[in-house]
């Protein structure tokens, strides 16, 4: 009887252990954030003519790079060195606060952007994060004729 | 260079159409991707519509697929952005860019301070435009339109001409003493540093202690920063060797920046101001406490303008000069607001060194601002003071120059236009036209209706490089709407273009419109 109980206990233990290894999971405890399985972010560019283009790209890529990679007509004259304002975009209002605030240097260039609005940012300074999934990014109009009402050209 | 290319072509006994190179000019100035200029055969494939309509005015329906020949005068940002806009919107455009200097890019190359190479990165984009569009976009350097070739002659070869030659001249103060040695132009100083061919002979006497810069814009900041900055930092940029050696021998330790209006009216951009105010090797002050006070109109102006408000925030933190440490060995930058220059003063005992600066100081009048917001004027108070200095730089703005055959507004230094289309005075015969605005109908009849303008020549010398993008886009849209509505017909067959010498091949109908046609370049050869 004892022997059979022992055998049963051992077998159960073995089976349990086997099932653990079979599923390949040995639970570990950790204090870091769980690694997200989805490393890509999907968002939409809205072109000057109103057409939309959905883009899926890696976390950490900036909007200007995304635009160039997917043939969206966003210029980056200074190649992301904060020396121009040609990659100026409008961020959809509800996502604006999910992006870290612009630095002084970015604000300095935004001052001179054509068609500046409260939700303006420089595309080369906005990095993709999971919180921005679903965002719409609008390209500003190209000329005064298409500009927002009440636009005042920068005095410089 | 043009002559060499064409002579070589003649000797080879070519019997096809123009040898074209992406660049006709001085190859040694260019990057390696352009270091060859090659002669290639280019045949004009004529679409059926073009050969049959070469002598008739194109109607709007047939213009959609017609090649559209445009000439751009000037290869700075406005010229290149206009080219880009046209090629993007209407790929059948053929653009030829004429430039006075052997090398392109205008102020991007010569007007940007050497320590700002990232601002010059846009040149790569412009180069790419040429190399990506070798069959429809050409650059011709070393040709001065207005001197080597006239607008009238160009109008025989192109459907449209875009004037984008910027503002070549500068505003003067017109005060006594301005012409003496020691009073320089800031624009010339920056061009000199950048190796501009027209200014390499200039000498700047930097052996004094104090410099005064009249004007409160970004060019003034550039000059101040270069004079005060640690020279080793500058020598690693693309500044010319000769100017580095001059600056190394400079003894300037104090720079005064003088403006006739207040801090809220200054034309600095926040980026440039922030850069110079945070330089650790210099101390910055405002000459007097009360210079930073704002009247109600100025406060209103600031509340309305985010960029100006942020710029003023930086200036408002300046400490007054009276708080400076007298034992500090650091160089100083001192801002003077509400001071209008009245006279440049000379030494009573001339400097021993011949040809050196005799400047001893600037007499200024204190001013105050009066008027409604956005319309304030600077009014003299009658009080004067003297700011001692050994050299001075004038930096009060650029100014455009006129071109024969083109209407011009002397006061603003721009070509009158509407959305980029050049406009002509209404009745040239009734009122006597000013000397600077010749009656265009008399001078270039075929150019009327074909002239467009972009950049500083269009809107005045304001804005940054990127401002030209929307400016040029506007002009391009105007041109294309004129083209599609049939307003820009083929150049007339009579008067015919100058007939080429006999060694050239017989031209067929569809070569009348060749942008770098044999007739055109032979004309340049003969000049």
């Amino acid at each position: 009887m004892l022997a059979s109980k022992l055998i049963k206990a051992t077998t159960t233990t073995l089976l349990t252990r086997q099932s653990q290894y079979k599923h390949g999971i040995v639970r570990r405890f950790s204090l870091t954030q769980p690694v997200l399985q989805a490393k890509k972010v999907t968002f939409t560019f809205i072109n000057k003519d109103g057409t939309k283009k959905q883009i899926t790209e890696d976390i950490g890529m900036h909007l200007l790079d995304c635009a160039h990679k997917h043939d969206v007509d966003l210029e980056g004259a200074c190649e992301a060195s904060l020396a121009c304002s040609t990659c100026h975009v409008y961020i959809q209002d509800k996502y604006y606060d999910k992006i870290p605030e612009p630095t002084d240097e970015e604000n300095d260039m935004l001052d001179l952007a054509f068609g500046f609005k409260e939700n303006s940012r420089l595309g080369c300074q906005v990095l993709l994060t999971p919180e921005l999934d679903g965002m719409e990014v609008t390209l500003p109009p190209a000329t005064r004729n298409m500009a927002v009402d009440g636009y005042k050209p920068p005095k410089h | 260079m043009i002559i060499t290319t064409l002579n070589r072509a003649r000797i080879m006994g070519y019997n096809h159409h123009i040898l074209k190179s992406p660049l006709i000019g001085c190859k040694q100035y260019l990057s390696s991707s352009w270091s060859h200029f090659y002669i290639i055969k280019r045949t004009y494939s004529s679409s059926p519509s073009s050969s049959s309509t070469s002598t008739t005015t194109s109607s709007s329906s047939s213009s959609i697929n017609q090649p559209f020949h445009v000439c751009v005068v000037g290869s700075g940002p406005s010229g290149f952005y206009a080219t880009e806009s046209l090629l993007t919107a209407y790929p059948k455009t053929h653009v030829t860019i004429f430039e006075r200097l052997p090398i392109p890019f205008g102020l991007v190359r010569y007007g940007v301070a050497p320590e700002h190479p990232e601002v010059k990165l846009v040149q790569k984009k412009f180069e790419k435009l040429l190399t990506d569009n070798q069959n429809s976009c050409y650059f011709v350097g070393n040709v001065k339109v207005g001197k080597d070739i006239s607008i009238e002659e160009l109008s025989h070869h192109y459907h449209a001409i875009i004037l984008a030659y910027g503002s070549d001249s500068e505003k003067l103060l017109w005060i006594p003493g301005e012409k003496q040695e020691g009073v320089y132009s800031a624009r010339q100083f920056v061009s000199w540093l950048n190796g501009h061919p027209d200014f390499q002979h200039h000498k700047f006497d930097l052996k004094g202690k104090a410099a005064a810069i009249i004007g409160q814009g970004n060019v003034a900041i550039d000059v101040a920063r270069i004079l005060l900055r640690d020279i080793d930092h500058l020598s690693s940029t693309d500044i010319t060797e000769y100017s580095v050696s001059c600056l190394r021998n400079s003894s300037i330790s104090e720079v005064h920046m003088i403006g006739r209006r207040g801090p809220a009216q200054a034309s600095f951009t926040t980026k440039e101001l922030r850069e110079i105010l945070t330089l650790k090797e210099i101390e910055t002050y405002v000459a007097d406490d009360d210079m930073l006070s704002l009247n109600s109109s100025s406060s209103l102006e600031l509340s309305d303008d985010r960029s100006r408000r942020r710029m003023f925030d930086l200036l408002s933190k300046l400490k007054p000069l009276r708080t400076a440490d007298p034992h500090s060995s650091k160089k100083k930058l001192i801002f003077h607001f509400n001071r209008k220059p009245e006279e440049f003063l000379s030494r009573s005992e001339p400097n021993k060194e011949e040809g050196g600066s005799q400047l001893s100081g600037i007499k200024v009048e204190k001013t105050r601002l009066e008027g409604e917001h956005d319309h304030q004027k600077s009014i003299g108070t009658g009080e004067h003071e003297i700011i001692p200095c050994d050299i001075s730089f004038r930096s009060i703005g650029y100014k455009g120059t006129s071109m024969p055959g083109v209407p011009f507004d002397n006061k603003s230094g721009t070509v009158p236009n509407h959305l980029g289309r050049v406009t002509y005075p209404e009745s040239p015969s009734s009122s006597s036209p000013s000397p600077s605005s010749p009656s265009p109908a008399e001078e270039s009849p075929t150019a009327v209706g074909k002239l467009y303008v972009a950049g500083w020549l269009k809107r005045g010398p304001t804005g940054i490089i990127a401002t030209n993008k929307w400016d040029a886009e506007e002009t391009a849209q105007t041109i294309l709407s004129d083209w599609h509505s049939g307003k820009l017909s083929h150049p007339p067959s009579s008067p015919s273009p100058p007939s080429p010498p006999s060694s050239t091949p017989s031209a067929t109908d569809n070569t009348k419109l060749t942008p770098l046609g044999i007739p055109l370049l032979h004309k340049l050869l003969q000049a």
Side-chain angles (χ1 to χ4, degrees), chain A residues 75 77-79 81-83 86 104 107-112 114 116 142-145 152 155-156, chain B residues 81 118 121-122 124-125 267 269-271 274 304-308 310 374 463 466 469-470 473-474:
Chain A
E75 175 164 350
C78 74
E79 299 180 0
S81 51
L82 274 179
T86 55
D104 279 338
N107 270 325
D108 288 349
M109 297 323 299
L110 277 172
D111 278 351
L112 306 168
F114 179 79
F116 174 79
T143 65
R144 258 193 298 215
N145 308 332
K152 266 172 102 170
K155 287 219 169 97
H156 175 72
Chain B
Y81 275 130
E118 66 280 357
L121 281 172
V122 72
K124 284 208 244 168
K125 181 193 148 78
S267 300
T269 53
T270 318
K271 177 179 191 240
R274 192 187 301 283
D304 220 12
D305 190 331
R306 173 191 135 114
S307 60
R308 204 167 276 270
R310 294 182 71 248
D374 291 335
K469 193 170 157 62
W470 71 257
E473 178 73 32
E474 184 181 74

Side-chain angles (χ1 to χ4, degrees), chain A residues 19-68:
Chain A
S19 72
Q20 273 184 347
Y21 287 119
K22 192 174 162 190
H23 293 293
I25 293 167
V26 177
R27 288 187 185 276
R28 293 180 206 278
F29 289 94
S30 157
L31 293 173
T32 58
Q33 291 274 7
V35 173
L36 286 167
Q37 288 188 344
K39 290 190 180 176
K40 300 241 179 209
V41 176
T42 302
F43 67 99
T44 309
F45 272 119
I46 304 180
N47 289 309
K48 293 166 199 165
D49 56 8
T51 55
K52 296 188 180 187
K53 188 157 192 175
Q54 197 175 68
I55 312 257
T56 302
E57 273 302 338
D58 291 331
I59 289 172
M61 210 163 153
H62 60 68
L63 296 182
L64 180 63
D65 266 348
C66 295
H68 285 177

Side-chain angles (χ1 to χ4, degrees), chain B residues 40-52:
Chain B
I40 59 163
K41 169 180 168 179
R42 182 171 65 152
T43 49
Y44 282 88
S45 54
S46 57
S47 58
S49 51
S50 69
S51 56
S52 60

